[in-house]
Amino acid sequence: MTGLDHEALSAIVTELTAAISTVDDLAGLDEVVARATAKDGPLGSLKRSLGGIADLESRKSAGRAINDALAQVTAAADARRVTLAAAARTEQLEADRLDLTEVVIEDVRVPVVRGHEHLVSQTRASLEEVFVAMGFTVTEGPEVETDWYNFEALNLPPGHPARDMYDTMYLEIGEPETVLMRTHTSPMQIHLLEAAVEADALPVHAAMAGRCYRLDTPDARHLPVFHQIEGLVIDRGITFADLAGVIETFTSAYFGPDIHSRLRPAYFPFTEPSAEFEITCTICRGDGCRTCSRTGWIELGGCGMVDPAVFEAVGIDPTEWSGFAFGFGIDRCAQMRHQIPDMRLLIENDLRFNRQF
Ligand code: DAH
């Protein structure tokens, strides 16, 4: 034999690349590649026949031609593999997709009811809107907190009796009782003030809403997972009168012009003085009924002037800055505004209830 049969080689390449471009799944492609590279395949046989070429140079150049042909076939196979893998993935995604229109398409007698936000989300949004209108910025923060943010920086050191107000859900992370589900939104005060000090960004006028957790048994007025909105104003020359004004403005803006607020002395470790904030009972409009124990008032939340111990925890000079904070239940607001007899209705997801709002 004097040289390579170039015609045979190009016929093999044509045959293999044609097979590669028509194969339509990855398994089929693997087979074509296996045939192309097999020792007893068409290229392999051609290679073996090279031994019969007497001239060394002709043998070498024939070997190179076969290797080039193999490289050409492999490149075609690699390109085809990319295309087939993409198609397979698209097909998989298509198969995995949930067809949420199914009911509508299959049974036109079922009326299409557009969903909407849950009452609690709507309430949160309207409360935030009221505070935005009053010049507050709205932020939110983590539901998992450390003891420092939820308690200690809020002037509730370990062993403080006021910790008993909060039936805390602890997480098994790190040392026992160091990581917890926040029991109120007040730890956001600390996050916000730390950030403001860091960025030299005082004053602060902010509202922060979100989920809170306590080991409470659900009843008509309590849920173990509930929502609060926290307010924090830190500026120069802020007084208790500013606090009372903001609470009253908010109350009438959200509940209506005939609903008012009043503050009654209370104790919270992170404010001094502290107050409980009550609003006109929305059931009897102040006349006295069973819901308000005939007082005409319903408690909504707590508030007060930020305690110097909190300023100290975050490194703010209390001779330059003063401020107030408040926090109250969003679920309770929804309950009072819509006269919902039992708070558990908010989490049962009974559509007959949810659809009313
Ligand atoms: N964090 C308190 C609670 O959940 C409510 C509260 C009271 C918030 C006084 C405040 C405040 O910001 O000043 O029981």
Side-chain angles (χ1 to χ4, degrees):
M1 188 163 136
T2 54
L4 179 67
D5 182 348
H6 283 280
E7 243 167 63
L9 180 60
S10 75
I12 293 169
V13 171
T14 308
E15 192 260 322
L16 287 172
T17 46
I20 285 167
S21 64
T22 51
V23 76
D24 59 5
D25 61 18
L26 288 167
L29 180 64
D30 285 341
E31 265 171 43
V32 179
V33 171
R35 186 147 48 90
T37 54
K39 284 212 161 53
D40 55 356
L43 288 173
S45 322
L46 212 52
K47 216 171 197 171
R48 254 182 297 124
S49 71
L50 292 183
I53 300 175
D55 177 53
L56 178 64
E57 276 313 309
S58 314
R59 204 158 66 221
K60 274 189 184 169
S61 86
R64 272 197 299 275
I66 296 176
N67 285 340
D68 289 350
L70 184 61
Q72 199 184 330
V73 170
T74 317
D78 288 345
R80 186 73 184 145
R81 189 176 304 283
V82 172
T83 312
L84 289 178
R89 177 150 170 73
T90 308
E91 198 176 316
Q92 184 64 42
L93 284 177
E94 202 58 31
D96 286 350
R97 208 176 57 166
L98 286 179
D99 184 0
L100 299 175
T101 61
E102 208 163 21
V103 174
V104 182
I105 290 164
E106 281 183 2
D107 187 351
V108 288
R109 291 163 304 172
V110 177
V112 186
V113 181
R114 185 179 287 202
H116 61 73
E117 279 192 315
H118 188 274
L119 174 61
V120 173
S121 303
Q122 293 180 37
T123 307
R124 172 185 174 160
S126 10
L127 290 170
E128 287 177 345
E129 241 168 63
V130 170
F131 285 110
V132 166
M134 290 169 79
F136 287 61
T137 55
V138 170
T139 53
E140 56 184 0
E143 293 172 21
V144 175
E145 283 290 8
T146 58
D147 187 88
W148 165 260
Y149 286 100
N150 197 80
F151 291 127
E152 195 153 356
L154 289 164
N155 198 26
L156 276 148
H160 194 290
R163 285 197 180 204
D164 294 347
M165 297 196 300
Y166 305 101
D167 294 310
T168 309
M169 295 182 191
Y170 288 99
L171 296 175
E172 289 178 357
I173 297 175
E175 293 292 303
E177 306 204 345
T178 52
V179 181
L180 48 87
M181 301 307 291
R182 67 176 175 195
T183 59
H184 50 175
T185 42
S186 299
M188 278 306 293
Q189 294 185 28
I190 306 300
H191 286 293
L192 217 70
L193 291 179
E194 280 182 350
V197 169
E198 171 95 27
D200 200 11
L202 288 172
V204 158
H205 303 79
M208 313 62 110
R211 262 187 218 119
C212 303
Y213 302 79
R214 287 185 205 172
L215 282 166
D216 274 335
T217 309
D219 65 24
R221 282 155 49 88
H222 299 91
L223 296 173
V225 180
F226 57 102
H227 302 78
Q228 284 192 339
I229 185 161
E230 190 85 13
L232 180 67
V233 170
I234 307 291
D235 209 332
R236 294 188 175 85
I238 296 289
T239 70
F240 200 90
D242 297 309
L243 166 59
V246 163
I247 298 277
E248 174 63 16
T249 307
F250 151 75
T251 302
S252 299
Y254 180 70
F255 290 99
D258 57 337
I259 304 293
H260 298 283
S261 63
R262 72 174 184 182
L263 302 177
R264 310 217 304 157
Y267 172 76
F268 294 100
F270 30 96
T271 40
E272 182 59 35
S274 302
E276 251 162 30
F277 128 47
E278 297 183 332
I279 61 164
T280 316
C281 177
T282 54
I283 313 280
C284 61
R285 306 264 140 184
D287 293 341
C289 66
R290 269 189 31 229
T291 307
C292 60
S293 311
R294 318 229 162 267
T295 61
W297 296 92
I298 293 278
E299 189 202 323
L300 207 61
C303 59
M305 302 305 290
V306 175
D307 195 287
V310 173
F311 282 131
E312 196 182 320
V314 295
I316 290 178
D317 177 3
T319 61
E320 184 180 356
W321 302 96
S322 63
F324 62 79
F326 55 84
F328 55 89
I330 295 176
D331 317 82
R332 182 65 57 83
C333 282
Q335 185 174 32
M336 293 320 299
R337 182 149 152 180
H338 301 282
Q339 283 100 46
I340 295 164
D342 192 316
M343 233 182 220
R344 285 169 291 195
L345 286 163
L346 294 174
I347 54 169
E348 279 166 2
N349 272 338
D350 184 331
L351 289 179
R352 289 168 301 178
F353 173 80
N354 286 358
R355 283 193 180 126
Q356 291 180 51
F357 305 100

